[in-house]
Amino acid sequence: LVIINDILDFSKIEAGKLEVEITEFSPSHVVEGTVELLGAKAREKSLTLTSFVDPALPTHLMGDPTRLRQVLLNMIGNGIKFTDTGGIEVIALRSGTDNEPMVRFEICDTGIGISKQTQSRLFQSFTQADSSMTRKYGGTGLGLAICKRLVELMGGHIGIDSEPGKGSTFWFTLPLIPCTTETKAHQMAG
């Protein structure tokens, strides 16, 4: 089912048929709810799974909570999949400039890490680190490509900082649009 859903999402994105919704949401509810959903999976592997939402972030933002959750689920799921000891931490914080405020999400794991050479291919369709990874961990190689497209559709950027044997930090930024009477009225009118 996961593979079929990945392919369907990828097809919609490629065809330009995937739409981003703009609605009010709580970043802490989305982050904590996603972490809660994957908690059992982390516990099965005796991994810690924690989250931190910066109190400097507005309590409510405008954006697409469903697509945000989809990106977080994929990245946290990957963190759990590729980590054998230690854990995964999910962080949401304010970044960017006053002129262009952003929300930065980081998914940090103590997993296998990824070489610089492989990092350059990670967000391409049907790409996995190498064939031995596919045999050991499974997957379609579409998850990160879908995440990249979704983040870009929402006006953000995505990337990774990693070193083999030292874990990975996958990150993405999205425009920080506080939920105000004005932004809600604009959304209703649009």
Side-chain angles (χ1 to χ4, degrees):
L1 217 54
V2 170
I3 292 170
I4 291 169
N5 284 335
D6 277 355
I7 292 168
L8 289 172
D9 275 348
F10 187 73
S11 299
K12 283 184 207 165
I13 292 168
E14 288 290 294
K17 301 287 187 206
L18 194 82
E19 293 184 13
V20 173
E21 179 186 17
I22 303 294
T23 187
E24 178 184 354
F25 73 96
S26 159
S28 60
H29 286 163
V30 172
V31 168
E32 290 162 12
T34 307
V35 165
E36 202 173 294
L37 272 173
L38 293 171
K41 210 176 199 181
R43 283 190 297 276
E44 279 173 19
K45 291 183 74 176
S46 301
L47 300 172
T48 61
L49 177 56
T50 58
S51 65
F52 170 77
V53 177
D54 187 346
L57 280 176
T59 55
H60 286 85
L61 299 173
M62 297 300 288
D64 191 331
T66 303
R67 296 301 173 193
L68 171 58
R69 188 175 294 109
Q70 185 176 357
V71 173
L72 287 170
L73 278 169
N74 188 294
M75 291 187 159
I76 298 166
N78 277 353
I80 294 168
K81 186 194 296 191
F82 295 108
T83 301
D84 291 326
T85 61
I88 298 90
E89 183 179 20
V90 184
I91 302 165
L93 43 95
R94 190 183 179 114
S95 73
T97 62
D98 286 345
N99 292 343
E100 195 181 0
M102 304 293 276
V103 184
R104 181 178 170 101
F105 296 89
E106 296 181 353
I107 297 84
C108 311
D109 67 55
T110 56
I112 59 176
I114 301 163
S115 72
K116 288 273 184 238
Q117 182 184 359
T118 302
Q119 288 176 34
S120 63
R121 299 189 320 263
L122 266 188
F123 297 99
Q124 295 172 11
S125 311
F126 304 106
T127 300
Q128 290 177 307
D130 61 43
S131 58
S132 66
M133 292 291 196
T134 307
R135 283 192 300 276
K136 183 172 181 181
Y137 297 103
T140 59
L142 282 174
L144 290 174
I146 291 169
C147 288
K148 182 179 187 334
R149 300 288 175 82
L150 289 176
V151 167
E152 288 171 351
L153 278 173
M154 294 186 283
H157 302 283
I158 194 167
I160 178 176
D161 300 310
S162 184
E163 218 177 294
K166 295 191 177 177
S168 302
T169 296
F170 281 89
W171 58 266
F172 62 98
T173 58
L174 297 175
L176 188 150
I177 307 165
C179 182
T180 62
T181 311
E182 191 180 301
T183 57
K184 279 173 107 169
H186 178 67
Q187 191 260 331
M188 297 291 220

